[in-house]
Structure formats: C-alpha cells, structure tokens
Amino acid sequence: MKLRARAQKRAKRSRKQITYFFPFNAVGLSPEKEINIGNLKIIHKDSIYAKVKEDDHYRFFIKSNEDIFNCLLHIPIPESSSNLSKHRAENVANFIYGVIRVFTTSYHYKADQIILLNHPFHKDTTHYIASSNDDYWIEGSYLFNEDLKEFWDLFEEDLKSDIGTVISKLANHASSINSKECLADRLIDAFYWFGEAAKDNNENSQIIKLVTAMERLVTLSDKDITNNFCNRIACTIAVYHGDLDRWKSDLSKIYDLRSNLVHGSRSLYKSYSLPLDFNPFQLAYRTILSTCILFDKAGLELSVNESKLRYIYAELIEIGKDDKYKQKKSP
C-alpha cells in the first residue's frame, strides 16, 4: 500500500496542465483579431512572444522563422503527463487544421498557404524548366489567393452558427481526456483525415484519405460496405443539399477509385489524372459538415453503438426516399 501510494504521488507530481502555442500561418488574419473555437483560439504571435525570454532557443527557433507565420494556435490541455500532453496537443492542432481546410473548401478558397509550422511548406508559386531540341523554357502557376482576410470573416461568422456550435463542442472534446469512444471522435477523425488530404500533393493519395475521412463517419460491421457507404452519405448530404442521385453517383465513383488504388488495380505513381468529373474535396466537406448536424442531433457524447447508428442511418435513408431530396437545392 505504501509503495502504491508513493507511486501515485510521483505520478500526480508528473501530471500538469499545459497550454501549447503552435506556430500557424493564418494568412490574412489581422493582428487585433482572435478566432475562438471552443476553448481553443488562433491569436497573433506577438502577444505571446513578448512573454518569452530571449535566449539561444528563442533566436534559433523564433527569429529564423518569424517571416513564415503570423499567428499561434492556442491549445490548453488538462492535467496529464508531459509526453501524453504534447501528443494530445499535436493531434488537436491537426484536427483544427482539418476544420479550417473543410471551411476554406466550402468557400472555394485556395488556401495551401495556411499551414502549421510542422507541415511541409508550400510556396506561393510553382515552376519548372523544360526543354526540347535545345530550346529551354520555364512554366509555372500561382497556387493561392493573395489575401484570405474575407475567409477569416466568413469563418468567424460560421463559428457563431449552429455548425459553429458543433465545431466548438468538438474542439473542447478533442482537448479533454476521454478514453470512451463516442460520435464526436468519429467527426474529429474525419476533420483530421481531410486536413491530411489537403496537405498531400498527390491527387490519388488524396482520394484515399478523403474516402477514409468519409468512411470513418458511416462504416459499421456491414457486409455490403460499398452500398451502405454510398447510401448513408448520399442521404446525409441530400437532406441539406438535395440532388440525392448525384451524390450516390459521385460516391460510387470515388469509392471504386479508392478501392482500385488500395487493392492494386490502379497504380498510385503511374496515374497522372483522376477519372472523376467532380471535385472530391467538395464531396468530402459536404459529408463532414452534414454529419456534424446529424451527430449533434443524436448526441456527440453518444457511445458508438452499432445498433443505434444503424437505426439512425436506416431512418435517414427512408427520409431520403422523399422526392424533394432528389431535387437540387442551392449550395
């Protein structure tokens, strides 16, 4: 008993609450503005760096990167060990990055310049040199909008809406310590995978990650995985966007493509273009945001119970049979 008591005291001493500030390139966000997402927030870097002691670490880590990012992602983590705390904070940061990329996609913004410092850097332009018969030329393109100020205004407004309330709940859940899997965890993972796809430069690899994001929301221990995947997601989107048959068709195409990539009938490195007539990111963001509303109505803290989820989707599919959901609605 004494040994256990001592071990518990040591463990308790090693646990502490830590707030992390991850360097974040929030292009277009004005210095005086803060973006609050639940108990997390995006703040200007100067407010924190003024409090940091200038030493060799400061000069090496901060001075060398001061032109790369303008903000910090503020993430408070409840009491836990230092190693677990840091790992949890990194996962939360990637989740928030996924949230922001879902919303930039929904607003049709090119936003690859929005990065966390631990992500691969993207340049504002790309170029290459080519030659033929001793004739050399350079080609390139601009990848980004020049200013994303309007995006942050739109994002801030959305955070005040019903969908913003769900995002805040997810942010609070992501930073808390909860080992019991619930519906919120599936949504957080979906945002995470969307962010991973947004960082990936290979279109085919993006498909695998986007389908994984959507699968995380609807996959149960079913036998007919493909049909259930298409029906459940199509009905979820159609409730808010209509056009049920279109979503079923798009989902069937993207799932087949993913299967071909994963199971080997399509080569990842030999594939130069996507055989799709729609933007896969547009499909995935609608899936995630529509499911946010669906899961919030069911209860984000609801344990992942297959019978309950199967009932929710069965009911949704019945609703989707109504002709009004087959008609296209405004975006």
Side-chain angles (χ1 to χ4, degrees):
M1 291 293 290
K2 287 182 179 179
L3 289 173
R4 190 170 77 172
R6 289 173 185 171
Q8 288 174 340
K9 286 182 179 180
R10 285 196 297 269
K12 188 174 182 179
R13 284 197 298 268
S14 68
R15 293 165 61 90
K16 55 184 177 180
Q17 180 174 334
I18 303 177
T19 298
Y20 292 86
F21 299 89
F22 287 97
F24 188 66
N25 188 33
V27 179
L29 188 63
S30 59
E32 65 277 4
K33 179 176 285 190
E34 288 187 359
I35 300 293
N36 294 283
I37 311 171
N39 60 355
L40 317 178
K41 55 187 174 181
I42 301 169
I43 60 176
H44 196 268
K45 63 180 182 180
D46 290 348
S47 62
I48 298 301
Y49 285 141
K51 303 175 183 179
V52 180
K53 180 182 177 182
E54 290 202 35
D55 54 15
D56 289 342
H57 281 83
Y58 185 97
R59 286 185 286 274
F60 181 79
F61 289 110
I62 295 177
K63 288 294 186 182
S64 61
N65 292 305
E66 61 183 352
D67 295 329
I68 297 174
F69 59 92
N70 63 330
C71 290
L72 296 167
L73 181 55
H74 169 280
I75 303 175
I77 298 297
E79 285 190 358
S80 60
S81 67
S82 296
N83 288 338
L84 179 60
S85 180
K86 180 175 180 292
H87 186 65
R88 186 183 300 278
E90 289 173 337
N91 285 345
V92 173
N94 285 322
F95 155 64
I96 293 298
Y97 176 78
V99 168
I100 290 170
R101 292 310 302 268
V102 163
F103 278 88
T104 56
T105 302
S106 73
Y107 302 141
H108 302 280
Y109 276 96
K110 290 182 178 179
D112 287 346
Q113 74 272 46
I114 295 180
I115 56 172
L116 286 164
L117 193 58
N118 62 331
H119 291 169
F121 293 124
H122 293 271
K123 299 296 184 182
D124 288 342
T125 61
T126 60
H127 77 273
Y128 61 91
I129 297 171
S131 70
S132 178
N133 298 323
D134 288 329
D135 181 23
Y136 289 77
W137 67 92
I138 186 169
E139 292 187 7
S141 63
Y142 291 97
L143 293 180
F144 316 126
N145 293 333
E146 292 183 1
D147 189 3
L148 290 173
K149 180 181 182 303
E150 186 180 4
F151 160 71
W152 294 110
D153 292 338
L154 291 169
F155 183 51
E156 196 170 30
E157 283 300 309
D158 266 342
L159 288 174
K160 299 173 185 176
S161 68
D162 290 342
I163 192 70
T165 300
V166 180
I167 299 300
S168 293
K169 290 178 183 177
L170 293 176
N172 293 341
H173 180 85
S175 59
S176 66
I177 299 174
N178 192 333
S179 59
K180 186 178 180 181
E181 186 184 3
C182 59
L183 294 184
D185 294 311
R186 292 198 170 200
L187 279 169
I188 290 167
D189 283 350
F191 279 110
Y192 195 117
W193 277 110
F194 190 99
E196 291 298 303
K199 287 184 286 181
D200 202 316
N201 292 322
N202 185 289
E203 288 185 330
N204 291 279
S205 180
Q206 287 173 350
I207 293 299
I208 295 172
K209 292 173 180 178
L210 289 173
V211 172
T212 300
M214 292 186 284
E215 274 189 310
R216 186 72 177 101
L217 299 173
V218 301
T219 300
L220 303 172
S221 57
D222 301 305
K223 294 182 179 179
D224 191 355
I225 297 175
T226 303
N227 190 50
N228 282 314
F229 172 85
C230 296
N231 283 334
R232 289 168 181 166
I233 295 179
C235 290
T236 303
I237 299 175
V239 168
Y240 304 101
H241 299 278
D243 225 357
L244 178 66
D245 292 337
R246 171 199 168 183
W247 305 123
K248 282 186 178 180
S249 174
D250 290 352
L251 287 160
S252 178
K253 291 174 185 176
I254 197 172
Y255 197 83
D256 285 346
L257 176 56
R258 176 261 186 194
S259 297
N260 290 338
L261 286 165
V262 170
H263 299 301
S265 59
R266 179 181 173 87
S267 171
L268 186 66
Y269 86 95
K270 289 183 179 180
S271 301
Y272 305 114
S273 61
L274 294 178
L276 299 175
D277 55 359
F278 59 90
N279 184 329
F281 282 92
Q282 294 290 321
L283 178 63
Y285 100 72
R286 286 184 171 89
T287 300
I288 295 172
L289 293 186
S290 298
T291 306
C292 278
I293 302 300
L294 177 66
F295 280 6
D296 187 50
K297 289 179 179 178
L300 294 176
E301 299 300 325
L302 181 70
S303 298
V304 178
N305 182 300
E306 290 226 349
S307 61
K308 290 181 180 178
L309 281 176
R310 193 171 282 108
Y311 174 79
I312 289 171
Y313 281 115
E315 190 177 51
L316 192 65
I317 290 170
E318 283 299 313
I319 294 172
K321 292 178 180 179
D322 192 315
D323 287 340
K324 69 179 180 181
Y325 296 114
K326 298 181 180 180
Q327 301 170 2
K328 186 176 182 179
K329 300 180 182 179
S330 57

